[in-house]
């Protein structure tokens, strides 16, 4: 349980989880350092990234206890177990799979399944999810999160999907506890140009919104 609490605290330190999808694994270390410098202490490498397991290992080895490193787009327990064996400290899924939640709980790892309805959110929580990802957040809208959090305020919710600095404040105001941010944060053009300061500045802007 303590392990889960430690990871949860890292996520809540910035209230932002960086989503590293299909990144260049050769630049994983620089990307992660830039995000950490901007104040983000939790990042997930999606499992549809070529070399995802290697990226998890690289980032965890480099950052150590400074950040929580997890695996995203975990569609089944087999994929989740591979990620855990590679050092993933938490698992994130786009959907609700009770067997993935059981896997995480079996090995004491935090799990964040994806949900879009009140029933899914409650079912995920009852199955043992630590945080519930409301996805796709931008399509559902901040008002939807506010409605969900009314009766289900005891559940920690992470808004993911189309979330960025331009709408972060609205989602936090609506009751989102955490934001999962991908493309707008992990800027492909900046990474290709080696301009990692762009990532740091964007990360700092998001964290500032979270702390308002």
């Amino acid at each position: 349980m303590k392990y889960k609490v430690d990871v949860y605290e890292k996520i809540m330190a910035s209230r932002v989880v960086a989503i590293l999808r299909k990144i260049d694994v050769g630049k994983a270390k620089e990307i992660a350092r830039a995000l950490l410098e901007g104040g983000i202490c939790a990042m997930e490498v999606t499992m549809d990234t070529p070399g995802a397991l290697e990226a998890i290992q690289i980032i965890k080895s480099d950052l150590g206890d400074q950040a929580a490193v997890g695996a995203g787009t975990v569609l089944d327990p087999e994929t989740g177990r591979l990620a855990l064996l590679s050092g993933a400290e938490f698992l994130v899924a786009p959907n609700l799979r009770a067997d993935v939640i059981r896997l995480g709980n079996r090995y004491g790892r935090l799990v964040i399944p994806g949900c879009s309805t009140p029933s899914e959110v409650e079912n995920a929580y009852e199955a043992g999810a630590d945080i519930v990802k409301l996805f796709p957040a931008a399509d559902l809208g901040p008002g939807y999160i506010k409605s969900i959090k009314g009766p289900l305020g005891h559940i920690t919710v992470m808004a993911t999907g189309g979330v960025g600095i331009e709408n972060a404040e609205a989602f936090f105001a609506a009751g989102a506890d955490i934001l999962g941010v991908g493309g707008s944060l992990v800027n492909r053009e900046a990474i290709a140009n080696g301009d990692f300061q762009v990532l740091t500045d964007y990360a700092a802007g998001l964290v500032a919104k979270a702390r308002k």
Side-chain angles (χ1 to χ4, degrees):
M1 185 63 182
K2 182 181 182 301
Y3 187 91
K4 280 193 177 189
V5 170
D6 289 344
V7 172
Y8 185 87
E9 287 177 348
K10 284 190 176 74
I11 292 173
M12 294 304 293
S14 61
R15 297 177 67 193
V16 176
V17 174
I19 302 169
L20 282 59
R21 183 179 302 280
K22 296 183 178 178
I23 60 166
D24 179 349
V25 175
K27 297 181 179 178
K29 187 183 296 186
E30 289 83 356
I31 293 168
R33 286 182 179 180
L35 296 170
L36 182 64
E37 189 176 339
I40 294 177
C41 304
M43 48 202 81
E44 60 170 279
V45 179
T46 65
M47 292 301 289
D48 57 352
T49 299
L53 299 178
E54 181 186 358
I56 290 170
Q57 293 170 339
I58 288 170
I59 295 170
K60 190 59 196 172
S61 175
D62 186 56
L63 299 186
D65 292 335
Q66 296 180 84
V69 183
T73 315
V74 177
L75 300 177
D76 50 64
E78 293 78 15
T79 301
R81 178 149 171 75
L82 284 173
L84 294 180
L85 290 171
S86 295
E89 298 171 282
F90 61 95
L91 303 176
V92 184
N95 56 347
L96 172 55
R97 286 281 300 258
D99 49 2
V100 172
I101 296 173
R102 282 196 298 271
L103 171 76
N105 285 328
R106 183 178 300 134
Y107 295 103
R109 296 297 187 269
L110 188 145
V111 184
I112 310 173
C115 303
S116 61
T117 68
S119 293
E120 286 183 340
V121 170
E122 181 62 20
N123 288 340
Y125 186 71
E126 289 186 357
D130 305 280
I131 297 168
V132 173
K133 178 172 82 171
L134 206 60
F135 174 81
D139 293 328
L140 296 170
Y144 190 79
I145 288 185
K146 185 176 182 180
S147 297
I148 289 280
K149 289 289 284 187
L152 301 174
H154 56 289
I155 298 175
T156 303
V157 170
M158 180 171 80
T160 306
V163 179
I165 205 163
E166 70 286 346
N167 57 13
E169 209 164 324
F171 278 107
F172 281 127
D177 302 287
I178 307 158
L179 301 183
V181 187
S184 59
L185 169 61
V186 188
N187 187 306
R188 292 183 183 278
E189 185 178 351
I191 292 169
N193 294 332
D195 190 0
F196 297 102
Q197 187 62 42
V198 170
L199 278 66
T200 297
D201 293 343
Y202 197 97
L206 282 169
V207 174
K209 297 281 187 184
R211 290 174 178 167
K212 260 192 172 179

